[in-house]
Amino acid sequence: MTASPVSPSEPAGPFHVTHRLILAIALPMTLGFLTTPLLGLVNTAVVGRMGQATLLAGLAVGAILFDLIFTTFNFLRAATTGLVAQAYGRGDRREQQAVFWRSLIIALICGTVSLLVSPLLLSGGLWLMGPEPEVAAVTRTYFLCRIISAPAALANYAILGFVLGRGEGTIGLVLQTLINGINIVLSILLGLVLGWGVTGVALATVIGEIVGALAGFAIVYGRFDLKDAPSWASICDRERLKPLFGLNRDIMIRSFVLLAAFTLMTRIGTAFGPVTLAANAVLMTIFLVAGYYLDGLANAAEQLIGRSIGARYRPAFDRALRLTGAWSLGLALVTTIALVLLGDRLVNLLTTASDVRAAAYEYLPWAAVTATTGALAFLMDGVFIGATWSREMRNMMVAAFVGYAAALAVLVPVFGNHGLWAGLNLFLLMRGLFLLSRIPAKARQTFRPAQ
């Protein structure tokens, strides 16, 4: 397929990577991603004000089940970003549209299948989590209502992947804010004001995802030039679908291994008693919030690395790697210092239990340093997604997990929960360093002159 003509506003070929270009992508997405933990806090507060522990527990179990399900489909966002960014770098507007349609179709199919098999997913999830009957009943209500949003939620993955692949961070911010903003407002209105409880919170999510998907589709489709529209045959072309499915497979495996790493930490943490387990959960919340805004720089790396490979311009690749690396490390160090100095206040905000607070203070330095040890891992994920080097990303994740399991086997029996947190930091370091070690060879191979 030949590339379609390139408009002045969409240049192909060599380009200069600047700090301003990086921040134009990273800052909006950082702000957009930070609305996600805010949404979680609001939903928890809405249900928590009803004064029934079973409602809050049921919501928590349901939220975990959706995290497990939607993590499986995170490849829809990541693979779309990498392929669109490379087509953008080539100036191939027709292929950008084709990638969007392929990803959207796959998202809608996966979402519909998830909806159809939702009773089985719910049964399996409840068996896995093993909640008490009263909690399970609340989870069932929440799950069966929220699962209606599955096609729209996965469509939003594809839409966000497309706009990020084009470096349009502001549109990504608008869509994330729209989805989570509607969700927050309706969660308060339906769940608290109208007294619908957990059902109202779930319906708020459904409406937010559907409105976001419709708005996102309208924005993306409205910007398409119909003269560049791909044919149905090219959208369904087997050779074009192979890279997408290959990326999807590798990223899915990588996501499952990452999920297994966090699950293993929680599983081992249960042996230290409920107070330590609760303290670990509080500290993991702090770690995950830090990861949301470090992901903004990873998004910038995805687009710029993918664009440089599409343009076959090594200087842009090297400069994007250096500048995003510098920003990631700098932001991570500032975050670690801030958590060391102010982390106790965050702990106090997240829990009122004095024994949990005391335990969290003890392990807070470990959680604070995860921003620095994890910065390279987050950035390398963005680099490898943009470059579509999914096989290496998958393999290095598996290698890091093996090292992580070995570290836990040695450190936990000797140092207890300190060893558990040390193992997590080693896992983050190994992920980043293993991926970084593969870049020189992969870059030489990717930018090798055509024969």
Side-chain angles (χ1 to χ4, degrees):
M1 179 183 297
T2 59
S4 50
V6 182
S7 69
S9 63
E10 191 171 314
F15 65 101
H16 186 56
V17 178
T18 64
H19 292 285
R20 183 176 180 179
L21 183 58
I22 290 171
L23 294 179
I25 302 171
L27 284 179
M29 290 315 304
T30 295
L31 294 174
F33 287 144
L34 284 177
T35 62
T36 300
L38 176 61
L39 169 62
L41 289 173
V42 169
N43 286 346
T44 300
V46 167
V47 176
R49 288 180 65 86
M50 295 174 188
Q52 297 183 44
T54 55
L55 294 179
L56 196 56
L59 174 67
V61 172
I64 290 172
L65 293 184
F66 277 100
D67 285 343
L68 290 170
I69 294 169
F70 288 150
T71 294
T72 304
F73 298 107
N74 190 50
F75 61 79
L76 288 166
R77 206 280 305 160
T80 304
T81 298
L83 293 173
V84 169
Q86 293 185 20
Y88 183 86
R90 296 192 303 270
D92 190 344
R93 291 177 292 174
R94 181 170 290 113
E95 181 59 16
Q96 290 176 51
Q97 291 191 34
V99 172
F100 171 76
W101 290 117
R102 291 178 198 127
S103 299
L104 184 62
I105 291 169
I106 292 172
L108 292 174
I109 291 173
C110 290
T112 302
V113 171
S114 297
L115 181 57
L116 292 175
V117 301
S118 57
L120 294 177
L121 294 175
L122 176 60
S123 297
L126 291 176
W127 173 83
L128 179 67
M129 301 300 293
E132 296 179 357
E134 296 84 357
V135 174
V138 176
T139 299
R140 185 174 291 105
T141 299
Y142 176 80
F143 185 95
L144 293 178
C145 183
R146 184 178 167 182
I147 195 66
I148 297 171
S149 71
L154 298 188
N156 283 322
Y157 282 11
I159 292 167
L160 182 60
F162 178 82
V163 299
L164 287 180
R166 290 177 51 84
E168 297 171 332
T170 302
I171 295 178
L173 168 61
V174 169
L175 293 176
Q176 289 294 108
T177 304
L178 177 66
I179 293 168
N180 291 332
I182 289 174
N183 201 333
I184 288 171
V185 172
L186 290 181
S187 181
I188 295 171
L189 176 62
L190 301 178
L192 200 58
V193 177
L194 297 183
W196 294 2
V198 170
T199 301
V201 170
L203 279 175
T205 302
V206 172
I207 295 170
E209 294 286 5
I210 292 174
V211 172
L214 293 175
F217 179 82
I219 291 171
V220 169
Y221 185 75
R223 293 158 64 89
F224 282 163
D225 191 333
L226 295 181
K227 73 175 185 295
D228 299 316
S231 66
W232 181 252
S234 66
I235 292 173
C236 300
D237 180 63
R238 181 175 297 181
E239 292 305 311
R240 294 288 189 179
L241 284 169
K242 279 182 181 179
L244 182 59
F245 281 116
L247 283 168
N248 290 347
R249 178 199 62 228
D250 294 335
I251 294 173
M252 182 187 294
I253 294 172
R254 171 256 179 203
S255 297
F256 274 132
V257 175
L258 181 60
L259 186 63
F262 291 133
T263 301
L264 180 60
M265 183 175 180
T266 301
R267 186 72 175 178
I268 293 175
T270 59
F272 302 129
V275 172
T276 299
L277 182 63
N280 285 350
V282 168
L283 296 176
M284 281 298 293
T285 299
I286 294 174
F287 160 66
L288 293 173
V289 170
Y292 274 113
Y293 61 79
L294 287 173
D295 267 346
L297 285 164
N299 291 149
E302 289 175 25
Q303 202 277 333
L304 296 173
I305 292 296
R307 180 179 172 185
S308 67
I309 288 176
R312 299 196 60 80
Y313 188 53
R314 179 68 185 268
F317 176 92
D318 292 336
R319 185 167 171 80
L321 191 60
R322 288 196 304 271
L323 294 189
T324 55
W327 275 104
S328 293
L329 180 59
L331 183 58
L333 288 173
V334 169
T335 302
T336 292
I337 294 171
L339 289 176
V340 169
L341 297 177
L342 305 173
D344 56 343
R345 299 181 186 180
L346 287 174
V347 169
N348 292 345
L349 181 66
L350 292 170
T351 179
T352 58
S354 58
D355 52 353
V356 175
R357 283 179 174 179
Y361 298 155
E362 180 180 356
Y363 304 112
L364 179 60
W366 290 112
V369 81
T370 56
T372 300
T373 57
L376 183 61
F378 294 136
L379 179 66
M380 288 298 103
D381 279 348
V383 170
F384 277 69
I385 286 170
T388 61
W389 297 336
S390 60
R391 181 177 301 177
E392 288 74 17
M393 185 169 66
R394 176 200 67 195
N395 292 345
M396 294 304 99
M397 175 64 82
V398 172
F401 181 82
V402 172
Y404 169 61
L408 293 180
V410 173
L411 296 173
V412 172
V414 179
F415 301 105
N417 200 51
H418 286 287
L420 186 60
W421 278 98
L424 176 64
N425 279 281
L426 286 173
F427 172 61
L428 295 171
L429 276 174
M430 284 186 289
R431 279 181 57 202
L433 293 173
F434 288 174
L435 289 171
L436 181 63
S437 70
R438 296 292 301 141
I439 285 182
K442 291 300 298 181
R444 285 194 299 270
Q445 178 184 352
T446 299
F447 290 99
R448 181 182 301 154
Q451 302 296 323

